[in-house]
Amino acid sequence: MRLRTYISIIAFCTLTLRLSAGEITVAAASSLRAPLEKIAEIYKERFNSEVKLVFASSGKLASQVQYAAPYDIFISADMNFGLALFEEGLTDGGPRPLANGYLALWSSSPLPNDIYPTLTDPLFGKIAIPNPEFAPYGKLAYDFLKDEMLENRLDNKLIIGSNVSQVNQYIHTDQVQMAITSWTTRYQLGSKGYWKKLSSFKLVNTVSLLQSAEDPGLAKSFIAFLFSEEAREILSEYGLESTTYK
Amino acid sequence: MIWSPIILSLKLAFVTTLVLYLIGIPLTFVQSEKRGWYSPFLDALFSLPLVLPPTVLGFYLLVLLSPQSTLGQFLSNTLGIQLIFSFQGLVIGSVIYSLPFMLQPLSNGMDSLSPQLRESGHLLGYSRWQTFYKLLLPNIKPALLTGGILAFAHTLGEFGVVLMIGGNIPDETRVASVAIYEEVEAMRYSSAHLYSAVLLSLAFTLLLIARFSAKKLNRQWA
């Protein structure tokens, strides 16, 4: 008899409080954390709907979607991960361009125009970039390093953050002397250090509706809000240019 | 909302400990009463999570339960449940990972019992299981308590397995240890401090309770 009691207690405890009514889960690239948290707050208050945000590098989220993660919407920092998921039939329609993001160079002290000698100087501290494999900004950062012919010359100075947020955290806590991150970070940590926008390194942030969405109607209404004037204004507050597509 | 990671951690630890009692007691019986040539291998197997990096366990569970695996497909198509990215999956991961923390105190407790107890059981005509359940188990109450508390505290602190198979989903798999990591990444250090302080005090209090009650029970039963 005690066994039955135990099992019923366990069964009760494992009942996850899944309030499926009026709830969507958005998996978004870490680089969009600041603007998306604001946008979601407004949406939650106005439409009295629960919006859960999960932030990680776009690649990690994409692979979670392949593992049937319970996400409704996938917002990627680039086009590629969204396309890959579309080709696997995991999204409802292709990735929709939301805004353009740019790469940014941050340093704790001003850098000269020719950064090669400075960065390869053994006395120069650590340099952080997001993971080139999973974070689109990381891949761009690595491309930038290749352009400067630095990709093999940094030895053990290169710190690979798992995503943009982690790199930002390194900047914020002075753990690195230089970092390559998203230009949106400049609007969160602007007062710190020196920022340079690398305009030739651009990413198209995209939105995908996932097939795993529990309530596609609800998800679509949030996506519509993402493309609204109000949301676009918030995005541009963080240096993200609206795309001309709708 | 802000307390939801703590509540999730407590829920996970509570459920895991319950399950571990249900599994651990029969396993202790097998370990202590049914010794054979296979025993050293079983002992090593059950102690594996102690030394195994959590990511190894997380990885194997992912492979085993993923929607592409045979087991994963059976679970989702036939039973309609998905274990990856769910609380139930976390329970499974935690049970495996905290198993030695329940088993070791229990088997140490069994080792410390005098053989006369077993002999009394035999004299009373009890089967091996009856002897175990009616005579031996009640005499290792301190070990039972220690096992439960250690399993509970260990599950509270779990990170690697939880992150790999849970996915950091708010209110579902974002337990306190993962939430701290998230808050630090988001540069919300006050929340990180809050969760860390709560976990630290909880763990410390539990260990204190374990120490004092085990000692007290020992005096009663010695």
Side-chain angles (χ1 to χ4, degrees):
Chain A
M1 194 181 71
R2 249 194 246 152
L3 190 73
R4 227 185 289 158
T5 328
Y6 281 155
I7 293 183
S8 37
I9 295 175
I10 292 172
F12 176 74
C13 287
T14 57
L15 269 173
T16 47
L17 298 152
R18 232 183 171 208
L19 308 145
S20 351
E23 181 190 274
I24 46 170
T25 310
V26 180
S30 300
S31 52
L32 293 166
R33 183 189 281 274
L36 274 180
E37 277 175 352
K38 269 199 191 164
I39 294 174
E41 244 347 276
I42 297 176
Y43 184 86
K44 276 194 264 194
E45 260 168 70
R46 189 167 305 167
F47 299 94
N48 197 29
S49 167
E50 184 61 50
V51 177
K52 293 195 181 161
L53 299 169
V54 180
F55 293 109
S57 56
S58 310
K60 181 169 162 199
L61 294 171
S63 88
Q64 285 184 331
V65 171
Q66 288 170 328
Y67 270 93
Y71 302 141
D72 302 308
I73 298 171
F74 172 52
I75 304 179
S76 176
D78 76 344
M79 190 80 89
N80 298 322
F81 288 115
L83 270 176
L85 290 181
F86 174 60
E87 274 156 30
E88 286 178 37
L90 293 165
T91 65
D92 183 353
R96 285 173 65 184
L98 177 68
N100 293 330
Y102 293 90
L103 204 61
L105 190 68
W106 173 87
S107 53
S108 53
S109 46
L111 290 173
N113 276 337
D114 181 11
I115 58 173
Y116 186 92
T118 315
L119 262 55
T120 49
D121 184 344
L123 292 173
F124 192 78
K126 304 268 187 217
I127 301 160
I129 65 168
N131 192 319
E133 212 180 323
F134 302 116
Y137 281 103
K139 183 170 184 307
L140 272 194
Y142 196 71
D143 289 342
F144 170 75
L145 289 177
K146 272 200 276 192
D147 267 10
E148 302 284 324
M149 293 184 292
L150 280 166
E151 82 274 24
N152 294 319
R153 297 303 312 270
L154 292 171
D155 299 327
N156 53 351
K157 281 195 227 168
L158 203 58
I159 308 276
I160 312 260
S162 53
N163 51 52
V164 164
S165 285
Q166 198 174 57
V167 172
N168 296 347
Q169 183 225 317
Y170 293 152
I171 296 174
H172 191 227
T173 50
D174 293 309
Q175 281 166 342
V176 293
Q177 213 168 324
M178 188 187 116
I180 307 175
T181 181
S182 66
W183 179 238
T184 50
T185 314
R186 153 82 176 67
Y187 297 88
Q188 291 171 260
L189 300 175
S191 53
K192 202 168 177 64
Y194 298 84
W195 294 90
K196 185 170 161 197
K197 184 177 182 183
L198 302 172
S199 311
S200 48
F201 292 88
K202 186 179 95 167
L203 283 176
V204 183
N205 296 318
T206 60
V207 184
S208 303
L209 174 63
L210 295 171
Q211 297 283 22
S212 52
E214 267 188 56
D215 188 342
L218 208 62
K220 281 186 192 163
S221 93
F222 183 75
I223 293 178
F225 186 68
L226 278 176
F227 284 92
S228 69
E229 266 312 304
E230 208 175 343
R232 282 179 186 284
E233 256 188 63
I234 296 177
L235 290 171
S236 64
E237 271 172 42
Y238 285 90
L240 292 159
E241 280 172 9
S242 296
T243 53
T244 47
Y245 307 107
K246 281 270 186 268
Chain B
M1 259 324 131
I2 195 173
W3 294 108
S4 115
I6 305 273
I7 294 173
L8 263 181
S9 284
L10 288 173
K11 201 168 125 182
L12 181 65
F14 182 66
V15 173
T16 303
T17 309
L18 266 178
V19 174
L20 278 175
Y21 271 127
L22 284 182
I23 297 178
I25 291 173
L27 271 179
T28 310
F29 172 68
V30 170
Q31 257 189 331
S32 67
E33 300 303 307
K34 299 218 180 276
R35 303 298 292 178
W37 58 269
Y38 47 80
S39 296
F41 296 98
L42 269 187
D43 292 346
L45 182 70
F46 293 142
S47 308
L48 257 183
L50 266 178
V51 294
L52 212 56
T55 41
V56 174
L57 179 62
F59 172 62
Y60 281 136
L61 277 174
L62 263 181
V63 169
L64 189 70
L65 300 168
S66 86
Q68 289 101 356
S69 75
T70 344
L71 180 60
Q73 282 182 338
F74 168 73
L75 285 169
S76 81
N77 295 337
T78 323
L79 297 173
I81 46 178
Q82 208 208 291
L83 290 173
I84 309 282
F85 301 119
S86 74
F87 182 80
Q88 289 83 347
L90 289 193
V91 173
I92 293 180
S94 305
V95 162
I96 298 175
Y97 194 55
S98 300
L99 183 65
F101 289 83
M102 173 65 80
L103 281 186
Q104 295 240 346
L106 289 187
S107 73
N108 288 340
M110 294 298 294
D111 287 343
S112 68
L113 290 175
S114 86
Q116 289 173 334
L117 272 174
R118 285 185 181 79
E119 287 165 18
S120 328
H122 190 242
L123 282 171
L124 286 163
Y126 286 159
S127 70
R128 285 285 193 101
W129 171 258
Q130 281 176 317
T131 312
F132 175 79
Y133 194 71
K134 295 192 183 179
L135 282 179
L136 303 180
L137 212 51
N139 278 298
I140 57 163
K141 281 211 172 92
L144 280 167
L145 183 65
T146 309
I149 291 183
L150 282 182
F152 190 90
H154 186 247
T155 308
L156 270 187
E158 214 173 278
F159 179 74
V161 187
V162 170
L163 194 56
M164 278 195 95
I165 62 172
N168 190 15
I169 300 174
D171 302 325
E172 206 107 356
T173 59
R174 187 177 286 172
V175 295
S177 48
V178 173
I180 293 169
Y181 186 71
E182 168 85 3
E183 297 300 298
V184 169
E185 214 176 71
M187 299 184 282
R188 289 191 291 253
Y189 299 112
S190 51
S191 307
H193 270 301
L194 175 70
Y195 295 142
S196 299
V198 171
L199 278 186
L200 183 65
S201 347
L202 259 174
F204 192 71
T205 313
L206 281 171
L207 289 172
L208 272 180
I209 295 175
R211 195 191 173 284
F212 285 125
S213 10
K215 210 170 171 195
K216 192 164 150 207
L217 281 171
N218 262 324
R219 257 185 252 127
Q220 286 177 336
W221 290 95

